Amino acid sequence: MSDILSTAQKSSASFALVRRHKREYLQIGIKEGKITQMSSSLVDGLGVRCLIEGSWGFACSTDVQEGDRLVEKAVKAAGTSAAQKRRKCDLAFSPAVKGTWESPVNHPVTYEAVEDIIGYIREADACAAEYPEIISKQISFLSTCDKKEIATSEGAFVNQREYRVFCTAAVTAKVAGRRATANNAVGGQYGTEFFRKDDLRKMVKKECERALRLATAQMPPAGRTKVVLTPDVASVLVHEAVGHTAEADVVLGGSYLSGKRGEKVGNECITLIDDGTYAHGFGSYGFDDEGVQSQKTYIIEKGILNHYLHVRETALNSPTGNGRAWLYSREPLIRMTNTYLEPQDYTFEELIQEVKDGLLLKGITSGLADHFGNFTLHVLEAQKIAHGSLSDVYYSGVTVSANAFDLLAHMSAVGDTSTFKVVPGVCGKGETAFVGMGAPALVTAMVVGGEV
Amino acid sequence: MDCHRYGEKVISFCSRIVSECEVCIEDRTEKTVTIQKDEIKSEREKHEITMGLRVFAGKRKGFKAVTLPQNLEEVADSAVTLARHSEKDEDWHGLPLPKPVAAVDIYDQKVAEISIEELVEMSTLLKSPFPEVFIDSARVTTFASHMYIMNSQEVNHAYKATKCYIFLLCLPQKGEASAAMDWALSRKLDIDCELLAEKTARTVKDSLKAKLLKENFKGEVLFSENVCSQVFMNSLAAAVNAESFKRNVSPFKEKMNERVASGNITVTDDGLLPEGVCSAPFDREGNPCQKTLVIDKGILGAILHNEYTGRQYHTESTGNAVGSAMAEPLVGITNLILTPGEHSTEEIIETMKKGMYILGLSGGTDVTTGRFSGVVPHGYYIEKGEIKYPARALISGNSFSSLLTVHLLGGEQKPNLEGMYGVPLLVEGINIISGSG
């Protein structure tokens, strides 16, 4: 690394960053009770980023011996359009950290653990056998190990290991000739000790029961209604519709939060945090891909917009450690880490009573939002709330839509810690990133897209 | 490095320790210019060699994927270890045998040799012609790849391919119109950047004047070619996959040779389409690609197979093993093409009584049930054959039941990155819900 940096320092680059990123995956898949996937992959490469007269150039290769050639290419790329750039990049100061970090994992996943992992997956798979209406089941396990070395021409040198596990289950039920699929995921920064939590077995059971309900469920009636969002739905809303609007590159594009620092953007009960240090969080790390230490950032504190999320290029003074690159072949982008809404004091039962008549929204398939907080969530299942209690009426194929900042401004019923959950996710803003998303259950109102 | 020689060495090494093996190597160069806020942000050049190694110890399978160079013995050992941990698959009957493959036009020297300077020049054509709209972000990327497939049954094929992909996202300078995104794909350097930017920017400009609908109603919806792929082609791709049949999750499972769409719907999967975005002479397992008539005038005629499902169904592979070198070959589409109709979008709108023309859908489709719903960020309200105003709404429906009642198909056709070639599609009975909150 130091040889490559010294080549870069001899070039016209005012700043250079060299990143070696090695990622190993282990994937085990069981379909219909049979092992159908037993695979592993290794992605290893080197990326070089150079800044010349405020213009970035980047080159990368899987041949890690090619460092000097990559510097040459990155320098050439940076120079190509330097003259055309009106906005010159200027990096905020960040201490040249020398450090190491490793996920807080007890037993990292290795090939030696494969038999045990298969055993755990089979146990989970066996839960589905209790439901004769389940006609198809797929359970998969993924572990990743990221080894990163990051060095900058300013003297930073970071060595980091990130370990993650991620399990998914998809089950299909057939009831009275109608099929429906339910799916979900669990995971975090763990090793094989993850299986002692028993989350996978519980999840498979829950999804089987959900698939049975969905097979006979109708579409909900269309229109505006009061809803309770379970944490898996609320957390996606928080990430997609609020978190992204606080990313400084999105702010510069004129997002809803642009120019509102210090202003009220939500009710007093709203505190939104991005926390790269969250224990076992799917989006946690010690240092970002610019070599900046991760931190806990209060984006919204008691309803007031406090901070944006930054890379060094967008930060005026202190970057927030949110520069993340998916692989060696990508440049750091501003990405959330673990973003969550702080819990308040409503119990789940109180939230249901608060709604009186409406829907409880559970399980998520996808969520999208624009820069102004207008969002659409595609929810797996809705359960009817009647007279302040949960009924036995279920709906499927539910899309809900609203403006997140309208909701935050009027939100008053936010669940307590017993309703709070941080879930693992994969965010796709131009490139992929492992993230954590969290929220308590909460009450709001939305337009539901259903049957007219 | 000499990928062909390396692949042959891997096959030769693994053949000594396992019963069967297959290597896929992709040597790929990618050049990208990124635009942010109407200005070039960065230039990037990536060179990547990836290899996927599938080994079989009897009927036990292991798969290892790596970026190259790596130590050959270590990679092979790792794949074999995985195979030994796996379980016997009694349905496994072997890797494909060599078959002749046809050439297909998917390579352009100019794309392969484009310089970063030329790519920057091309990127500067991505400009919004409207002062009220700007390009928030865009990427102009060229790919040049060399793909090799070989196996222990003496399959040994290679091809070269190029691709140019432009993606852009436009936003309003002021006001609350939703972002509009669009893309263009080609095997050559023939994308009209100015037209793409103009079309995307216009979508945002129009939606600045968007109104909420006055009422909820069931009505006609004209899906643009992009949304057609998102809702209908996506469901079809899953439904005609032999893997879905085998797993009992396809709604077409009991409908072979029966009607699954209206008489004006014909769908082919054509891996040999000249310049097709997912065309290739052979698939991910080395079987020749082909043209498969999947739905003929509404009747389900065929499903898509790789070698494994083909043998399970006592038929031949249809050349539909898909995936990158880094992933195990699965069953999937090549170019899934909905045969276009003869009508222009304007002509179709003239036939509509009351409904919407939608250019984007922010939502999801359940490919098992076909249920879809979502917000229409960019659409137009239509009444008595005329566009009345740009409108926002929610819509919901079922893609499989709608396919049975397709009124008209448009003549314009556009592929997405997954190889789905959608066309404008007019269906009725869609729930159209006023307002987005």
Side-chain angles (χ1 to χ4, degrees), chain A residues 31 35-36 38-42 44 58 60-62 73 77 81 85-87 111 115 122 136 138 178-179 181 249 313 328 372 376 378 396 399 450-452, chain B residues 36-37 39-41 43-45 47-49 61 63-68 78 82 85 87 171 177 218 243 247-248 362 368-369 371 373 375 396 431 437:
Chain A
K31 274 186 202 170
I35 298 177
T36 52
M38 182 64 76
S39 68
S40 156
S41 50
L42 167 66
D44 185 9
F58 180 72
C60 60
S61 174
T62 53
K73 282 184 176 180
S81 62
K85 288 173 185 160
R86 293 188 302 271
R87 286 187 300 270
Y111 280 9
E115 289 299 332
R122 285 205 189 281
S136 175
Q138 277 190 68
R178 290 176 60 184
R179 292 178 175 86
T181 299
D249 51 346
E313 185 179 340
Y328 75 92
F372 310 106
T376 311
H378 199 59
S396 69
T399 291
E451 201 66 42
V452 170
Chain B
Q36 209 173 59
K37 324 290 173 234
E39 192 177 329
I40 289 168
K41 158 89 176 154
E43 295 90 355
R44 177 172 85 203
E45 188 172 333
H47 179 229
E48 185 173 74
I49 308 179
K61 178 187 67 176
F63 179 78
K64 177 82 182 184
V66 290
T67 48
L68 293 180
S78 173
L82 290 164
H85 280 298
E87 69 181 311
L171 276 173
K218 270 190 196 290
E243 183 69 23
R247 289 185 39 237
N248 227 349
S362 174
T368 308
T369 61
R371 281 185 187 167
S373 55
V375 168
S396 68
N431 296 299

Coordinates of all heavy atoms in Angstrom, one line a residue, chain A residues 31 35-36 38-42 44 58 60-62 73 77 81 85-87 111 115 122 136 138 178-179 181 249 313 328 372 376 378 396 399 450-452, chain B residues 36-37 39-41 43-45 47-49 61 63-68 78 82 85 87 171 177 218 243 247-248 362 368-369 371 373 375 396 431 437:
Chain A
K31 N -33.9 -25.8 -0.4 CA -35.2 -25.7 -1.1 C -35.9 -27.0 -1.0 O -35.3 -28.0 -1.3 CB -35.0 -25.4 -2.6 CG -34.8 -24.0 -3.0 CD -34.7 -23.8 -4.5 CE -34.0 -22.6 -4.9 NZ -33.7 -22.5 -6.3
I35 N -30.6 -29.6 0.2 CA -29.5 -28.6 0.0 C -29.4 -28.3 -1.5 O -29.1 -29.3 -2.2 CB -28.2 -29.0 0.6 CG1 -28.3 -29.2 2.1 CG2 -27.1 -28.0 0.3 CD1 -27.0 -29.8 2.8
T36 N -29.6 -27.1 -1.9 CA -29.5 -26.8 -3.3 C -28.4 -25.9 -3.6 O -28.0 -25.6 -4.7 CB -30.8 -26.3 -3.9 OG1 -31.2 -25.1 -3.1 CG2 -31.9 -27.3 -3.9
M38 N -24.5 -24.7 -2.1 CA -23.4 -24.8 -1.2 C -22.3 -24.0 -1.9 O -21.5 -24.6 -2.7 CB -23.1 -26.3 -1.0 CG -22.0 -26.5 0.0 SD -22.3 -26.0 1.7 CE -23.4 -27.3 2.2
S39 N -22.2 -22.8 -1.7 CA -21.2 -22.0 -2.5 C -20.5 -21.0 -1.7 O -20.9 -20.6 -0.6 CB -22.0 -21.3 -3.7 OG -22.8 -20.3 -3.2
S40 N -19.4 -20.6 -2.2 CA -18.6 -19.6 -1.6 C -18.0 -18.7 -2.6 O -17.8 -19.1 -3.8 CB -17.5 -20.3 -0.8 OG -16.4 -19.5 -0.6
S41 N -17.7 -17.5 -2.3 CA -17.0 -16.6 -3.3 C -16.1 -15.7 -2.6 O -16.2 -15.4 -1.4 CB -18.0 -15.9 -4.2 OG -19.0 -15.2 -3.4
L42 N -15.1 -15.2 -3.4 CA -14.1 -14.3 -2.9 C -13.9 -13.2 -3.9 O -13.6 -13.5 -5.0 CB -12.8 -15.1 -2.7 CG -11.5 -14.3 -2.5 CD1 -11.6 -13.6 -1.1 CD2 -10.3 -15.2 -2.5
D44 N -11.7 -9.9 -4.5 CA -10.5 -9.3 -3.9 C -10.0 -8.3 -5.0 O -9.8 -8.7 -6.1 CB -9.5 -10.4 -3.7 CG -8.2 -9.9 -3.0 OD1 -8.2 -8.7 -2.6 OD2 -7.2 -10.6 -2.9
F58 N -10.7 7.6 -10.6 CA -10.7 6.3 -9.9 C -10.4 5.2 -10.8 O -10.9 5.2 -12.0 CB -12.1 6.1 -9.2 CG -12.2 4.8 -8.4 CD1 -11.6 4.7 -7.2 CD2 -13.0 3.8 -8.9 CE1 -11.7 3.5 -6.5 CE2 -13.1 2.6 -8.2 CZ -12.5 2.4 -7.0
C60 N -9.6 0.7 -10.7 CA -9.5 -0.5 -9.9 C -9.3 -1.7 -10.7 O -9.5 -1.7 -11.9 CB -10.8 -0.6 -9.1 SG -12.2 -0.8 -10.1
S61 N -8.8 -2.7 -10.0 CA -8.6 -4.0 -10.7 C -8.6 -5.1 -9.7 O -8.3 -5.0 -8.5 CB -7.2 -3.9 -11.4 OG -6.9 -5.2 -11.9
T62 N -8.8 -6.3 -10.2 CA -8.8 -7.5 -9.4 C -7.3 -8.0 -9.3 O -7.0 -8.9 -8.5 CB -9.6 -8.7 -9.9 OG1 -9.3 -8.9 -11.3 CG2 -11.1 -8.3 -9.8
K73 N -3.8 5.4 -14.2 CA -5.2 5.5 -14.8 C -6.0 6.5 -14.0 O -6.8 7.3 -14.6 CB -5.9 4.2 -14.8 CG -5.4 3.2 -15.9 CD -6.2 2.0 -15.8 CE -5.8 1.1 -17.0 NZ -6.6 -0.2 -17.0
A77 N -7.7 9.9 -15.4 CA -9.2 10.1 -15.4 C -9.5 11.4 -14.7 O -10.4 12.1 -15.1 CB -9.8 8.9 -14.7
S81 N -11.5 15.6 -17.1 CA -12.6 16.6 -17.1 C -12.3 17.8 -16.1 O -13.2 18.5 -15.8 CB -13.9 16.0 -16.9 OG -13.9 15.4 -15.6
K85 N -15.0 21.2 -14.8 CA -15.7 21.2 -13.5 C -15.8 22.6 -12.9 O -14.8 23.2 -12.6 CB -15.1 20.2 -12.6 CG -15.4 18.8 -13.0 CD -14.7 17.8 -12.2 CE -14.9 16.4 -12.8 NZ -13.9 15.4 -12.4
R86 N -17.1 23.0 -12.7 CA -17.3 24.3 -12.0 C -17.1 24.2 -10.5 O -16.5 25.0 -9.9 CB -18.7 24.9 -12.3 CG -18.9 25.2 -13.8 CD -20.3 25.9 -14.0 NE -21.4 25.1 -13.5 CZ -22.0 24.2 -14.2 NH1 -21.7 23.9 -15.5 NH2 -23.0 23.5 -13.7
R87 N -17.6 23.1 -10.0 CA -17.5 22.9 -8.5 C -16.3 22.1 -8.3 O -16.2 20.9 -8.7 CB -18.7 22.2 -8.0 CG -20.0 23.0 -7.9 CD -21.1 22.2 -7.2 NE -21.4 21.0 -7.9 CZ -22.3 20.9 -8.8 NH1 -23.0 22.0 -9.2 NH2 -22.6 19.8 -9.4
Y111 N -15.5 -22.7 7.2 CA -15.9 -23.9 6.6 C -16.2 -25.0 7.7 O -17.0 -25.9 7.5 CB -14.9 -24.4 5.6 CG -14.9 -23.8 4.3 CD1 -15.7 -22.6 4.1 CD2 -14.1 -24.2 3.2 CE1 -15.7 -22.0 2.8 CE2 -14.2 -23.6 2.0 CZ -14.9 -22.5 1.8 OH -15.0 -21.9 0.6
E115 N -21.3 -27.8 8.8 CA -22.2 -28.9 9.3 C -23.2 -28.4 10.3 O -24.4 -28.7 10.3 CB -21.5 -30.1 9.8 CG -20.7 -30.9 8.8 CD -21.6 -31.5 7.7 OE1 -22.8 -31.8 8.0 OE2 -21.2 -31.7 6.5
R122 N -31.8 -26.8 8.9 CA -32.7 -27.9 8.8 C -33.8 -27.8 9.9 O -34.9 -28.2 9.7 CB -32.0 -29.2 8.9 CG -31.2 -29.6 7.6 CD -31.0 -31.1 7.5 NE -30.2 -31.5 6.4 CZ -30.5 -31.5 5.2 NH1 -31.8 -31.2 4.8 NH2 -29.7 -31.9 4.2
S136 N -44.2 -24.9 -0.9 CA -42.8 -24.6 -1.3 C -42.1 -23.8 -0.2 O -42.7 -22.9 0.5 CB -42.8 -23.8 -2.6 OG -41.5 -23.4 -2.9
Q138 N -38.1 -22.2 1.0 CA -36.7 -21.9 0.7 C -36.1 -21.2 1.8 O -36.6 -20.1 2.3 CB -36.6 -20.9 -0.5 CG -36.7 -21.5 -1.9 CD -36.3 -20.4 -2.9 OE1 -35.2 -20.0 -3.0 NE2 -37.3 -20.0 -3.7
R178 N -55.6 -21.2 -4.2 CA -54.9 -19.9 -4.3 C -53.5 -20.0 -3.6 O -53.4 -20.5 -2.5 CB -55.7 -18.8 -3.6 CG -57.0 -18.5 -4.4 CD -57.9 -17.5 -3.8 NE -57.2 -16.3 -3.5 CZ -57.7 -15.2 -2.9 NH1 -58.9 -15.3 -2.4 NH2 -57.1 -14.1 -2.7
R179 N -52.5 -19.4 -4.3 CA -51.2 -19.4 -3.8 C -50.8 -18.1 -3.2 O -51.3 -17.1 -3.7 CB -50.2 -19.8 -4.9 CG -50.3 -21.2 -5.4 CD -49.2 -21.3 -6.5 NE -49.2 -22.7 -7.1 CZ -49.9 -23.2 -8.0 NH1 -50.9 -22.4 -8.5 NH2 -49.8 -24.4 -8.4
T181 N -47.1 -16.1 -1.3 CA -45.8 -16.3 -0.7 C -45.5 -15.3 0.4 O -46.0 -14.1 0.2 CB -44.8 -16.1 -1.9 OG1 -45.0 -17.1 -2.8 CG2 -43.3 -16.2 -1.4
D249 N -25.5 14.6 -0.2 CA -25.5 14.7 -1.7 C -27.0 14.9 -2.1 O -27.3 15.6 -3.1 CB -24.9 13.5 -2.4 CG -25.4 12.1 -1.8 OD1 -26.0 12.1 -0.7 OD2 -25.2 11.1 -2.5
E313 N -16.0 15.2 1.3 CA -16.2 16.2 0.2 C -17.4 17.1 0.5 O -17.4 18.3 0.2 CB -16.5 15.4 -1.1 CG -16.6 16.3 -2.3 CD -16.9 15.5 -3.5 OE1 -16.6 14.3 -3.6 OE2 -17.4 16.1 -4.5
Y328 N -14.3 -3.2 -3.7 CA -13.1 -2.5 -4.1 C -13.3 -1.6 -5.3 O -12.6 -0.6 -5.5 CB -12.0 -3.5 -4.4 CG -12.2 -4.2 -5.7 CD1 -11.6 -3.7 -6.9 CD2 -13.1 -5.3 -5.8 CE1 -11.9 -4.3 -8.1 CE2 -13.3 -5.9 -7.0 CZ -12.8 -5.4 -8.2 OH -13.1 -5.9 -9.4
F372 N -38.4 14.5 -1.4 CA -39.3 15.4 -0.6 C -40.0 14.6 0.5 O -40.9 15.2 1.1 CB -40.3 16.1 -1.6 CG -39.6 16.7 -2.7 CD1 -39.7 16.2 -4.0 CD2 -38.8 17.8 -2.6 CE1 -39.0 16.7 -5.1 CE2 -38.1 18.4 -3.6 CZ -38.2 17.8 -4.9
T376 N -43.7 5.4 -1.0 CA -44.6 4.3 -1.2 C -44.1 3.1 -0.6 O -42.9 2.8 -0.7 CB -44.7 4.0 -2.8 OG1 -44.9 5.2 -3.4 CG2 -45.7 3.0 -3.1
H378 N -44.7 -1.1 -0.1 CA -45.4 -2.2 -0.5 C -45.4 -3.2 0.7 O -44.3 -3.7 1.0 CB -44.8 -2.8 -1.7 CG -45.7 -3.7 -2.5 ND1 -46.9 -3.3 -3.0 CD2 -45.7 -5.0 -2.8 CE1 -47.5 -4.3 -3.6 NE2 -46.8 -5.4 -3.5
S396 N -54.1 -8.6 1.7 CA -52.7 -8.7 1.1 C -52.7 -7.7 -0.1 O -53.6 -7.1 -0.4 CB -52.5 -10.1 0.6 OG -53.4 -10.4 -0.5
T399 N -50.4 -1.5 -0.8 CA -49.5 -0.4 -1.0 C -50.0 0.8 -0.3 O -51.2 1.2 -0.3 CB -49.3 0.0 -2.5 OG1 -48.7 -1.1 -3.1 CG2 -48.5 1.2 -2.7
G450 N -55.9 0.0 -2.8 CA -56.6 -1.3 -2.8 C -57.7 -1.4 -3.7 O -57.7 -0.8 -4.8
E451 N -58.8 -2.0 -3.3 CA -60.0 -2.3 -4.2 C -60.9 -1.0 -4.1 O -61.2 -0.6 -3.0 CB -60.7 -3.5 -3.7 CG -61.6 -4.2 -4.7 CD -60.8 -4.8 -5.9 OE1 -59.8 -5.4 -5.7 OE2 -61.3 -4.6 -7.0
V452 N -61.3 -0.5 -5.3 CA -62.2 0.6 -5.4 C -63.6 0.1 -5.2 O -64.0 -0.9 -5.9 CB -62.0 1.4 -6.7 CG1 -63.1 2.4 -6.9 CG2 -60.7 2.0 -6.8
Chain B
Q36 N -23.2 14.5 -11.7 CA -24.0 14.9 -10.5 C -24.3 16.4 -10.6 O -23.4 17.2 -10.9 CB -23.2 14.6 -9.2 CG -24.0 14.3 -8.0 CD -23.2 13.9 -6.9 OE1 -22.3 14.6 -6.4 NE2 -23.4 12.7 -6.4
K37 N -25.5 16.7 -10.4 CA -26.0 18.1 -10.5 C -25.5 18.8 -11.8 O -24.8 19.8 -11.7 CB -25.5 19.0 -9.3 CG -25.5 18.3 -7.9 CD -26.8 17.9 -7.4 CE -26.7 17.1 -6.1 NZ -27.4 15.8 -6.1
E39 N -23.2 18.2 -13.8 CA -21.8 18.4 -14.0 C -21.1 17.0 -13.9 O -21.5 16.2 -13.0 CB -21.3 19.4 -13.0 CG -19.9 19.8 -13.3 CD -19.4 20.9 -12.3 OE1 -20.2 21.6 -11.8 OE2 -18.2 20.9 -12.0
I40 N -20.0 16.9 -14.6 CA -19.3 15.6 -14.5 C -18.6 15.5 -13.1 O -18.0 16.5 -12.7 CB -18.2 15.5 -15.6 CG1 -18.9 15.2 -16.9 CG2 -17.2 14.3 -15.3 CD1 -18.1 15.4 -18.1
K41 N -18.9 14.4 -12.5 CA -18.4 14.3 -11.1 C -17.1 13.4 -11.0 O -16.2 13.8 -10.4 CB -19.5 13.6 -10.3 CG -19.1 12.9 -9.0 CD -19.2 13.8 -7.9 CE -18.9 13.0 -6.6 NZ -18.3 13.9 -5.6
E43 N -14.7 10.1 -13.2 CA -14.4 9.1 -14.2 C -13.8 7.8 -13.5 O -13.1 8.0 -12.6 CB -13.5 9.6 -15.3 CG -14.0 10.8 -16.0 CD -13.7 12.1 -15.4 OE1 -13.1 12.1 -14.3 OE2 -14.0 13.2 -16.0
R44 N -14.2 6.7 -14.1 CA -13.8 5.5 -13.4 C -13.5 4.4 -14.4 O -14.2 4.3 -15.4 CB -14.9 5.0 -12.5 CG -14.7 3.7 -11.8 CD -15.8 3.4 -10.8 NE -17.0 2.8 -11.5 CZ -18.2 2.8 -11.0 NH1 -18.5 3.5 -10.0 NH2 -19.1 2.2 -11.6
E45 N -12.4 3.7 -14.2 CA -12.1 2.5 -15.1 C -11.9 1.3 -14.2 O -11.2 1.3 -13.3 CB -10.9 2.8 -15.9 CG -10.7 1.7 -17.0 CD -9.5 2.0 -18.0 OE1 -9.2 3.2 -18.2 OE2 -9.0 1.0 -18.5
H47 N -11.2 -2.9 -14.2 CA -10.9 -4.1 -14.9 C -11.1 -5.3 -13.9 O -10.5 -5.3 -12.9 CB -9.5 -4.1 -15.5 CG -9.1 -5.4 -16.2 ND1 -8.0 -6.0 -16.0 CD2 -9.8 -6.1 -17.1 CE1 -7.9 -7.1 -16.7 NE2 -9.0 -7.2 -17.4
E48 N -11.8 -6.3 -14.3 CA -12.2 -7.4 -13.4 C -12.2 -8.7 -14.1 O -12.7 -8.8 -15.2 CB -13.6 -7.1 -12.8 CG -14.0 -8.0 -11.8 CD -15.3 -7.6 -11.1 OE1 -16.4 -7.7 -11.8 OE2 -15.3 -7.1 -10.0
I49 N -11.5 -9.7 -13.6 CA -11.6 -11.0 -14.1 C -12.2 -11.9 -13.0 O -11.7 -11.9 -11.9 CB -10.2 -11.6 -14.5 CG1 -9.5 -10.6 -15.5 CG2 -10.4 -12.9 -15.2 CD1 -8.1 -11.1 -15.9
K61 N -22.8 -31.3 -5.1 CA -22.3 -30.1 -5.9 C -21.7 -29.1 -4.9 O -22.1 -28.9 -3.8 CB -23.5 -29.5 -6.6 CG -23.3 -28.3 -7.3 CD -24.5 -27.6 -7.9 CE -25.4 -27.1 -6.7 NZ -26.6 -26.4 -7.1
F63 N -19.8 -25.0 -5.3 CA -19.5 -23.9 -6.2 C -18.6 -22.9 -5.5 O -18.9 -22.5 -4.4 CB -20.9 -23.2 -6.6 CG -20.7 -22.0 -7.5 CD1 -20.4 -22.2 -8.9 CD2 -20.7 -20.7 -7.0 CE1 -20.3 -21.1 -9.7 CE2 -20.6 -19.6 -7.9 CZ -20.3 -19.9 -9.2
K64 N -17.6 -22.4 -6.2 CA -16.7 -21.4 -5.7 C -16.5 -20.4 -6.8 O -16.2 -20.7 -7.9 CB -15.4 -22.1 -5.3 CG -14.3 -21.1 -4.8 CD -14.5 -20.8 -3.4 CE -13.4 -19.8 -2.9 NZ -13.5 -19.5 -1.4
A65 N -16.7 -19.1 -6.4 CA -16.4 -18.0 -7.3 C -15.3 -17.1 -6.8 O -15.3 -16.9 -5.6 CB -17.7 -17.2 -7.5
V66 N -14.5 -16.6 -7.6 CA -13.4 -15.8 -7.2 C -13.1 -14.7 -8.2 O -13.4 -14.9 -9.4 CB -12.1 -16.6 -7.0 CG1 -12.2 -17.5 -5.8 CG2 -11.7 -17.4 -8.2
T67 N -12.4 -13.7 -7.8 CA -11.8 -12.7 -8.7 C -10.4 -13.3 -9.0 O -9.8 -13.9 -8.1 CB -11.7 -11.3 -8.1 OG1 -11.2 -11.4 -6.8 CG2 -13.1 -10.7 -8.0
L68 N -9.9 -13.1 -10.2 CA -8.6 -13.6 -10.5 C -7.6 -12.5 -10.6 O -8.0 -11.4 -10.9 CB -8.7 -14.3 -11.9 CG -9.6 -15.6 -11.9 CD1 -9.6 -16.2 -13.3 CD2 -9.1 -16.6 -10.9
S78 N -11.4 -25.6 -2.3 CA -12.5 -25.0 -1.6 C -13.8 -25.5 -2.2 O -14.8 -25.8 -1.5 CB -12.3 -23.5 -1.7 OG -13.4 -22.8 -1.2
L82 N -16.8 -27.8 -0.3 CA -18.2 -27.5 -0.3 C -19.0 -28.6 -0.9 O -20.1 -28.9 -0.3 CB -18.4 -26.2 -1.1 CG -17.9 -24.9 -0.5 CD1 -17.8 -23.8 -1.5 CD2 -18.7 -24.5 0.7
H85 N -19.6 -31.3 1.7 CA -20.5 -30.9 2.7 C -22.0 -31.0 2.2 O -22.9 -31.0 3.0 CB -20.3 -29.5 3.2 CG -19.1 -29.4 4.2 ND1 -19.2 -30.1 5.4 CD2 -17.9 -28.8 4.2 CE1 -18.0 -29.8 6.1 NE2 -17.3 -29.1 5.4
E87 N -25.3 -32.4 -0.1 CA -26.0 -33.7 -0.1 C -26.2 -34.2 -1.5 O -26.3 -33.3 -2.5 CB -27.3 -33.7 0.7 CG -28.4 -32.9 0.1 CD -29.6 -32.9 1.0 OE1 -30.0 -34.0 1.4 OE2 -30.2 -31.9 1.2
L171 N -34.6 16.0 -11.8 CA -35.3 16.6 -10.7 C -35.7 18.0 -11.0 O -35.0 18.7 -11.9 CB -34.4 16.7 -9.4 CG -34.3 15.5 -8.5 CD1 -33.3 15.7 -7.4 CD2 -35.7 15.2 -7.8
A177 N -42.1 18.1 -7.7 CA -42.4 17.1 -8.7 C -41.5 15.9 -8.3 O -40.4 16.1 -7.9 CB -42.1 17.5 -10.1
K218 N -62.6 2.5 -11.2 CA -62.0 1.5 -11.9 C -62.0 1.9 -13.4 O -63.0 2.4 -13.9 CB -62.9 0.2 -11.8 CG -62.5 -0.7 -10.7 CD -63.2 -2.1 -10.9 CE -63.2 -2.9 -9.6 NZ -61.9 -3.4 -9.2
E243 N -38.1 -23.6 -13.0 CA -37.8 -23.8 -11.5 C -39.1 -23.4 -10.8 O -39.4 -24.1 -9.8 CB -36.7 -22.8 -11.2 CG -36.2 -22.8 -9.8 CD -35.5 -24.1 -9.4 OE1 -34.9 -24.8 -10.2 OE2 -35.4 -24.3 -8.2
R247 N -41.2 -25.9 -8.4 CA -41.4 -25.6 -7.0 C -42.9 -25.3 -6.7 O -43.3 -24.9 -5.6 CB -40.6 -24.4 -6.5 CG -39.1 -24.7 -6.4 CD -38.3 -23.6 -5.9 NE -39.0 -22.9 -4.9 CZ -39.3 -21.6 -4.9 NH1 -38.9 -20.8 -6.0 NH2 -39.9 -21.0 -3.9
N248 N -43.7 -25.5 -7.7 CA -45.2 -25.4 -7.6 C -45.6 -24.0 -7.3 O -46.7 -23.8 -6.8 CB -45.6 -26.3 -6.3 CG -46.7 -27.1 -6.6 OD1 -47.4 -26.9 -7.7 ND2 -47.0 -28.1 -5.8
S362 N -44.2 3.5 -8.8 CA -43.4 3.3 -7.6 C -44.1 2.3 -6.7 O -45.0 2.7 -5.9 CB -43.2 4.6 -6.9 OG -42.5 4.5 -5.8
T368 N -46.1 -14.3 -7.5 CA -46.8 -15.5 -7.2 C -48.3 -15.3 -7.5 O -48.9 -16.1 -8.2 CB -46.7 -16.0 -5.8 OG1 -45.3 -16.1 -5.5 CG2 -47.3 -17.4 -5.6
T369 N -48.8 -14.2 -7.0 CA -50.3 -13.9 -7.2 C -50.6 -13.0 -8.3 O -51.7 -13.0 -8.8 CB -50.9 -13.3 -5.9 OG1 -50.2 -12.0 -5.7 CG2 -50.7 -14.1 -4.7
R371 N -50.6 -9.8 -8.0 CA -51.1 -8.6 -7.5 C -50.1 -7.5 -7.5 O -48.9 -7.7 -7.1 CB -51.6 -8.7 -6.0 CG -52.9 -9.4 -6.0 CD -53.4 -9.5 -4.6 NE -54.6 -10.2 -4.5 CZ -55.1 -10.7 -3.4 NH1 -54.6 -10.4 -2.2 NH2 -56.2 -11.4 -3.4
S373 N -49.5 -3.1 -7.0 CA -50.0 -1.8 -6.6 C -48.9 -0.8 -6.4 O -47.7 -1.2 -6.2 CB -50.8 -1.9 -5.3 OG -50.1 -2.5 -4.3
V375 N -47.7 3.8 -6.4 CA -48.0 5.2 -6.7 C -47.5 5.5 -8.1 O -46.5 5.0 -8.5 CB -47.3 6.1 -5.7 CG1 -47.3 7.5 -6.1 CG2 -47.9 5.9 -4.3
S396 N -54.0 -0.2 -8.5 CA -53.8 -1.6 -8.1 C -54.5 -2.5 -9.0 O -55.5 -2.1 -9.7 CB -54.2 -1.8 -6.6 OG -55.6 -1.6 -6.5
N431 N -57.9 -0.6 -10.5 CA -58.3 0.4 -9.5 C -57.4 1.6 -9.6 O -56.2 1.5 -9.5 CB -58.1 -0.3 -8.1 CG -58.9 -1.5 -7.9 OD1 -60.2 -1.4 -7.9 ND2 -58.3 -2.6 -7.7
G437 N -51.7 11.1 -0.6 CA -51.6 11.4 0.8 C -51.8 12.8 1.1 O -51.9 13.2 2.2

